[in-house]
Structures are given as structure tokens and as C-alpha cells.
Amino acid sequence: MKLTLAALATLAVAVLSLFVGVSDVTPASILNDDRAAQVFLASRLPRTLALVLAGTSMAVAGLVMQMIVRNRFVEPSTAGTTESAGLGLLIVTIFAPGWPLMAKMAVAAVFALAGTALFLRILRMVPLRDVLLVPLVGIMLGGIIGAVTTFFAYRFELLGSLNAWTMGDFSGVLRGRYELLWIGGVLAVLAYLAADRLTVAGMGRDFTVNLGMNYRAAVVLGLVIVALVSAVVLVSVGAIPFLGLIVPNIVSMAIGDNMRRSVPWVAITGAAFVLVCDIIGRTLRYPYEIPISMVVGVVGAAMFLMLLLRSRDHARA
Amino acid sequence: MIVIEGLRKAYGSTPVVDGVSLRIPASGITSIIGPNGAGKSTLLSIMARLMEADGGTVIVDELDVTRTKTDLLARRLSILRQENHISSRLTVRDLVGFGRYPHSKGRLTPEDAGHIDRAIDYLHLGDLADRFLDELSGGQRQRAHIAMVLCQDTDYVLLDEPLNNLDMRHARGMMQLLRRAADELGKTIVLVMHDINFASWYSDGIVAMKAGRVVHHGAPDAIIRPEVLSAIYDMPIAVQDVAGKRIALYYE
């Protein structure tokens, strides 16, 4: 019931997002004016769909990652995943610039997977007592990979492209240039189908083995979902930081981590969060736009700090 | 019956389980006692395929635990380790419900729901069923973990330090509950115990370990003796008969 209401509210925001913009597009003008109809179909609708798909899949990927790593504060941008995907995309752009977008995305996903696996390996080698050290290690790893990427991007004069990947921005979304994001949507559904297995894996290896489940397989499944989503979003619209961190944490506080229940909430909240941030970015300096990664970054950083302080209070209490 | 043959496990060059052979009879409570570092928890983990042995076999009712399909084994044998830090926010009912996973694979039937309710009842968790684990005290959490393992409804139940974090009332309640599960449902329960008096009072058999080896295995009468215990724990331990049971006194 509450879930239906939340879905309807998100739908309302999505509809609102369809009619925000520089061109004069209103429900009436779509029907009467050919140009308005064209703008609507070629730009507005794809943009809103891209927002919903990217928001949903990044938020769900964040949740999956938190279950697999068993840490509240990890998500693709605090675990080296996003940066690794960026490195992969840069390498494929240097060596095979003519490849179709799908193939470039696949290379980025392979790099994202390898980078995340490296992060997990580091965590296993250096068991950390403090939960806050885990994302710090991830951010450092991401920093190193990002530095390598920047160096080569500079050498090959691709800093401009790199900038576009690291700064999530939906203003360039047009029909024909966002469809890869549907893969993200499919992966979010896959995470829902595997919700029980991922939740059990989130309880740790011993519980998982005791319940007769293959722990490794569940972890690999989770990592593949996270890597693919990160790559798809990076290639289509650029990285959106913090999203996968904030949304699952808020949902977790409210209804907990049983993914069978929480995945739909995370998906809807993720979409709503991105839609709202995008509308803010589009209206704040109207008719100019602020890239969404900046809006999400500012809002997200503030919320992340609040979460950290809250957890500190909890630890002390 | 659990049959263990020549089990070995070393961390680096330090042997932790050093050639253990043991037969644990079906139905009843067997407690493993011994000083820290005797290899009790390692033995239990290997028995439940959580750890791999360097050599030797564990056979549970004709099933070799390392060769049997893990989901089949999960319907026959369950284990709860001593350290159980669950970082995700699950409710008590969620956690206990996951005990049905080996049977239902996530699709809970009305029969599963019955198991869940009974397990919650047995451990007096009714009022806490919808609370999140991170809102519970250590003892309440321990009871929730045990409820999950009981909900798994396996013939063999291995518990490492089940009385951890429990106060006297709940510790006694736990042992009475395990006793009933053994007597009425015919479960085979293997415990790692630190409190030798609880072990003496409630067990059918006691296995004493020291430095990775089984040094004694027998009925409580045979193990809870001053000379046996003193040798196991390297300190003088007196034993008195109280109400037909043997109680060790080691406080002075």
C-alpha cells in the first residue's frame, strides 16, 4: 500500500520532469504542435526514462554492494568500481575508438569487475576493525585508479571525454543514446529475483554455508550486477556519486535490509531522488543547467555526513 | 551418528586439531569441553564444512560432509558459531525465517510459517519478533540466532558456546530447551561448552579436548572427576555430588 503510494508519487515527479525545460512543451502542445511533439519524443521522454533507469539501477547496485561487502558505507564510487570502469572506457577509447557503445560498455564492465575484486581482496588482506575505514580504503583505491586514468587521458588528449564520464549529466540524453540503460533496469530486476540469496550472503559466509548456499556464487552474482550497472551508467550518462550510498541507507533505516522487501523501495526512492535532483539542476539557473552529478554530489555529501555522524552516535550509545 | 576419523588441521605450522577420531552417537547432547585453544571450535567448524580439514573425514549419517551437496547437508545438519556479527538490519522474524531457506528456497509455505512461529515461541522472542537485530541486547540476539538454527529443523545441531551472553535464567532455559529437543524430537546436539557444570548437568556425553587432541570421551560421571579435570585444565579442581549430578568447584 505504502509502496504503491510511493510509486505513484515518483510517477508524478517523472511526469513533472517531462515538462521542465527550455523548449515550450506542454501536454497540449504535444498534440497540436509537431515540433513540440518531436522534442518530447526525441529528448524529454528519453531523458526522463534515463533518469528513472539510472536512479533505480545505481541505488539497487549500491544496496547489493553493501550486502556483499557487509558495510553500510560502500557503493560503486567508494570502492574503486566507478573509477575502474572509467579506466576501462578510456583504454577502449584509445585502442578501439570505432567499437560500438555496447562493446565499450562491456570493456568498462570487465574493468569495473576487476577493480571491485581488487577492493575485496585488499579488504580480506587487511581486516579493518572500523567500518568507516572500509570506504576510505575504497576511496583511496579509486583515487589511485582515477589518477592513472587522468594521466593517460592527458597524454592522449582525452581529458574532455574523461570529464564527461566522471560528471554525470543528463542534458545530452537523446533518443538512440540512452537505451543501454535498460540493461541497468534488467539488472535491478535480477537483483530482486536473487533478493533472498543476496540477503543471506549479507549475513556472512558462515551463515550462508550453514543454509546450504554457495557463498562464492552469490558474491560473484552481486559483483557482476554492480560492475555492469556502474559501466552502463558511466557509458550512458556519466557517474552519479553517492546515489547508491544514500538511498539504500535511508531505506534500511526505515524498513531494514531484507532485500525481498527493500529492493522495490530502493528502486523507487532511487528514481525519485535522481528525478528531483535533475529538476533542481534544471530550474536553479534556468535556462542554464547544473549537471546532475553536482546536485547529487552536494545533496549527497551532506546526507552522507549526516549518516556518518548518526552511526558514530550509535557506536557510542 | 557422527563418525570422525583422523581429523587434522593446522594454522601455519601450529596444529589446532591433531588427529581427532571420535564417534558421537545419534540423539542426545554431547558437550565438547577443554581450555582455550584446545581446538574445540575448529573441530566443530570442520564438522559443519565451514572450514576445510588438512586430513581426515567427517561422516554424518553416511554422508561425508566435504563431498555431500551443501544444500542437502543443510537439511540434515546446522551450525551456529560463536561470533555472529550480522551487519544488515534484519528483524528477528526475518532471521528466523531464513532458517527455512534449505527447505523452501525463499518461498515460505504455511508449514514454514508454523516452524518460524514455534521457533520464536520456544525462545520467548514473541515480543521481539518484529524488532531489528541491531536494537536487541547481546543475549536477545543470541537467542534469535539459536531460534534460526532450530527453525532449520535438522537432525544434527552444532552450537559453539550457545550460552554466550545469556544470563542465568536464559542459560538454564536454553539448556532445558536443548534437552527437550534431544529427548522429545531425537535431535543430536553437539555443544562447545565453557561452563563445565552446565555440561555435566545436561549432557549425555562429554568430549574433553586439550592441545588439539581428544583426551577423554565418556559419560559425565567419567569425565567430571577431580583428577581428570585437573589434568585437562592444569589447575586443581574439586568435584562434589549435588542432587545426583557432579559439580566441579574451581573458584579457589
Side-chain angles (χ1 to χ4, degrees), chain A:
Chain A
M1 185 57 211
K2 277 186 197 158
L3 192 65
T4 319
L5 281 179
L8 287 176
T10 305
L11 192 66
V13 180
V15 172
L16 178 66
S17 135
L18 286 172
F19 298 104
V20 175
V22 179
S23 303
D24 188 26
V25 177
T26 62
S29 71
I30 297 171
L31 298 174
N32 304 325
D33 180 353
D34 267 357
R35 214 191 68 83
Q38 216 168 16
V39 169
F40 181 80
L41 287 179
S43 161
R44 292 292 173 78
L45 188 62
R47 180 176 188 150
T48 298
L49 284 173
L51 286 163
V52 169
L53 289 169
T56 294
S57 54
M58 278 305 280
V60 171
L63 173 64
V64 169
M65 192 156 211
Q66 284 151 28
M67 296 308 262
I68 296 295
V69 181
R70 302 181 67 202
N71 184 297
R72 278 261 80 90
F73 300 112
V74 295
E75 68 121 23
S77 70
T78 63
T81 311
T82 308
E83 290 78 4
S84 305
L87 179 61
L89 191 52
L90 180 78
I91 286 177
V92 75
T93 308
I94 291 171
F95 290 106
W99 280 14
L101 205 54
M102 187 74 168
K104 288 183 176 171
M105 187 281 285
V107 173
V110 169
F111 272 76
L113 196 59
T116 318
L118 177 65
F119 173 62
L120 287 185
R121 170 143 296 191
I122 295 174
L123 288 188
R124 226 177 311 143
M125 286 189 310
V126 205
L128 302 167
R129 295 242 165 252
D130 192 329
V131 288
L132 296 182
L133 282 178
V134 172
L136 284 184
V137 167
I139 290 169
M140 284 196 292
L141 178 66
I144 295 168
I145 296 170
V148 171
T149 312
T150 309
F151 174 75
F152 284 108
Y154 174 72
R155 275 303 175 87
F156 289 88
E157 295 182 359
L158 286 167
L159 276 178
S161 314
L162 183 65
N163 230 0
W165 304 331
T166 46
M167 290 276 273
D169 182 9
F170 287 82
S171 61
V173 171
L174 291 171
R175 188 170 51 197
R177 286 186 43 196
Y178 81 100
E179 281 77 0
L180 270 181
L181 283 171
W182 285 105
I183 298 176
V186 170
L187 291 164
V189 173
L190 183 65
Y192 178 69
L193 293 178
D196 287 319
R197 298 209 290 149
L198 293 170
T199 309
V200 171
M203 290 156 63
R205 182 182 169 277
D206 290 343
F207 275 97
T208 311
V209 173
N210 170 48
L211 293 177
M213 222 172 72
N214 187 332
Y215 179 65
R216 228 188 136 74
V219 169
V220 168
L221 173 70
L223 288 184
V224 167
I225 291 175
V226 170
L228 274 173
V229 167
S230 306
V232 160
V233 172
L234 189 81
V235 170
S236 332
V237 293
I240 313 171
F242 290 118
L243 176 63
L245 192 70
I246 304 152
V247 172
N249 271 290
I250 291 170
V251 171
S252 167
M253 278 176 206
I255 65 161
D257 286 328
N258 188 344
M259 284 179 64
R260 185 63 63 201
R261 274 200 308 277
S262 70
V263 166
W265 276 103
V266 168
I268 288 172
T269 315
F273 186 75
V274 173
L275 284 166
V276 169
C277 283
D278 182 66
I279 291 175
I280 293 174
R282 278 202 268 178
T283 48
L284 214 56
R285 287 181 63 220
Y286 187 85
Y288 304 103
E289 268 196 35
I290 302 169
I292 191 159
S293 62
M294 219 173 267
V295 182
V296 175
V298 170
V299 178
M303 288 174 109
F304 186 37
L305 268 178
M306 267 164 49
L307 287 174
L308 287 186
L309 294 173
R310 218 186 109 103
S311 77
R312 276 285 147 124
D313 287 347
H314 266 288
R316 244 180 256 138

Side-chain angles (χ1 to χ4, degrees), chain B:
Chain B
M1 183 161 75
I2 302 178
V3 181
I4 300 169
E5 292 287 357
L7 210 60
R8 285 182 296 106
K9 172 79 181 175
Y11 295 128
S13 59
T14 320
V16 192
V17 172
D18 194 3
V20 167
S21 296
L22 196 60
R23 275 157 196 271
I24 296 174
S27 108
I29 297 180
T30 302
S31 294
I32 306 175
I33 64 166
N36 296 132
K40 313 180 290 291
S41 297
T42 305
L43 176 64
L44 209 68
S45 292
I46 295 173
M47 284 163 66
R49 53 134 164 46
L50 296 185
M51 260 184 216
E52 233 176 298
D54 298 334
T57 55
V58 178
I59 314 271
V60 177
D61 274 354
E62 328 272 288
L63 300 175
D64 183 328
V65 293
T66 55
R67 299 222 179 109
T68 307
K69 284 185 77 174
T70 184
D71 59 332
L72 172 67
L73 202 59
R75 293 192 288 270
R76 306 291 289 278
L77 173 145
S78 54
I79 179 162
L80 182 69
R81 287 186 75 173
Q82 196 179 347
E83 301 272 331
N84 299 293
H85 181 67
I86 295 180
S87 51
S88 35
R89 260 163 73 82
L90 298 173
T91 64
V92 171
R93 191 180 296 278
D94 285 336
L95 178 75
V96 177
F98 277 116
R100 296 309 295 167
Y101 190 88
H103 305 272
S104 63
K105 306 288 179 211
R107 309 205 167 276
L108 296 177
T109 63
E111 191 201 328
D112 291 320
H115 276 286
I116 296 169
D117 288 338
R118 248 170 290 144
I120 287 175
D121 263 5
Y122 274 148
L123 287 138
H124 308 293
L125 290 165
D127 295 339
L128 304 171
D130 294 315
R131 292 266 287 275
F132 287 109
L133 292 174
D134 56 0
E135 297 164 352
L136 304 182
S137 73
Q140 292 167 334
R141 221 171 0 234
Q142 173 73 356
R143 283 189 284 143
H145 291 147
I146 303 230
M148 176 193 136
V149 169
L150 291 187
C151 196
Q152 205 173 329
D153 193 27
T154 53
D155 293 338
Y156 293 83
V157 181
L158 315 186
L159 302 173
D160 195 347
E161 293 282 341
L163 306 185
N164 240 357
N165 286 321
L166 298 185
D167 59 22
M168 278 187 277
R169 189 169 75 90
H170 283 114
R172 189 187 65 169
M174 179 68 65
M175 293 310 290
Q176 287 171 337
L177 171 75
L178 295 176
R179 193 64 255 173
R180 250 171 58 206
D183 293 340
E184 293 168 15
L185 306 171
K187 306 256 182 215
T188 309
I189 298 170
V190 183
L191 310 173
V192 168
M193 294 285 279
H194 266 302
D195 188 323
I196 51 178
N197 288 332
F198 263 125
S200 165
W201 203 282
Y202 286 99
S203 308
D204 300 299
I206 293 182
V207 174
M209 285 184 76
K210 190 176 184 182
R213 294 168 176 277
V214 171
V215 287
H216 290 282
H217 181 193
D221 294 2
I223 312 289
I224 307 298
R225 289 171 172 276
E227 67 280 10
V228 175
L229 290 178
S230 303
I232 295 169
Y233 289 97
D234 288 321
M235 63 184 220
I237 296 178
V239 172
Q240 289 206 339
D241 279 326
V242 176
K245 306 271 188 180
R246 282 166 183 272
I247 293 301
L249 298 171
Y250 48 86
Y251 303 103
E252 271 199 64

